[in-house]
Amino acid sequence: MHHRIFIALNISDNLKSEIDKWKEKFKKNFTVTFNKIRWIKNENLHITLIPPFYASETDFQNLIEVIEEVVSRFSSFDINFYNISYGPNLFNPRLIWITANATKEIFILKDALIDNMAKLGFLKKSDLRLRRDFLPHLTIARFNQFDFKYFNVKKIDEEFEFKERLNEVILFESILKKEGAEYKILKKFNLKK
């Protein structure tokens, strides 16, 4: 049996609390819009490093060893979140995300994971979706793009300043359901302090 999995960076409870405050403010101001949105549960908030791919149960141990080896070479690092907006763009909005500045550390970690996983056949180094422009972000909500016409707010462009220390890489399983994806933590990997 194959599982749909992905690799992400975990975020702190402090950041989740700030996101909750923003959501409450948004809910009060834009009730109609709020009712059309599927908010991501706090335990599922993450920064995706490697987007979903499929692996068999027998591949898990090798995959875990690869991720463990790569992550063991990296120290925790800071990232600065700066903006909340609709994404992925204004012409095709289907989520609300918080964007962050791309740091050298996040690119090096992502590339090291791709390179080492490709050597073992988990990924193809030539896969363009892995190498496309990478904008670190947190998807905090999703919605059906056809519902956007009912929204009473057509543009979100708010400052959201938060400096986050990234300490943990997570291997998630993404289980697709009618009401949206459900995430299950398969393994956590600590970056060096």
Side-chain angles (χ1 to χ4, degrees), residues 156-192:
I156 300 173
D157 184 14
E158 292 186 31
E159 278 189 20
F160 186 90
E161 291 187 27
F162 195 93
K163 184 176 184 174
E164 175 75 337
R165 186 84 176 162
L166 298 172
N167 299 307
E168 193 173 56
V169 174
I170 298 181
L171 177 63
F172 278 105
E173 179 173 8
S174 174
I175 302 156
L176 299 176
K177 297 189 170 189
K178 191 172 86 171
E179 57 278 357
E182 179 182 294
Y183 304 135
K184 176 181 167 188
I185 295 173
L186 298 176
K187 178 90 173 153
K188 293 182 178 184
F189 308 87
N190 290 322
L191 293 159
K192 290 187 288 190

Side-chain angles (χ1 to χ4, degrees), residues 56-68 122:
S56 69
E57 288 183 33
T58 54
D59 290 334
F60 280 163
Q61 192 52 45
N62 287 337
L63 181 60
I64 286 169
E65 288 172 14
V66 169
I67 299 169
E68 219 159 41
F122 290 111

Side-chain angles (χ1 to χ4, degrees), residues 100-113:
N101 291 319
T103 64
K104 176 180 68 173
E105 295 90 349
I106 203 167
F107 278 111
I108 295 170
L109 174 59
K110 179 180 173 73
D111 285 344
L113 285 165

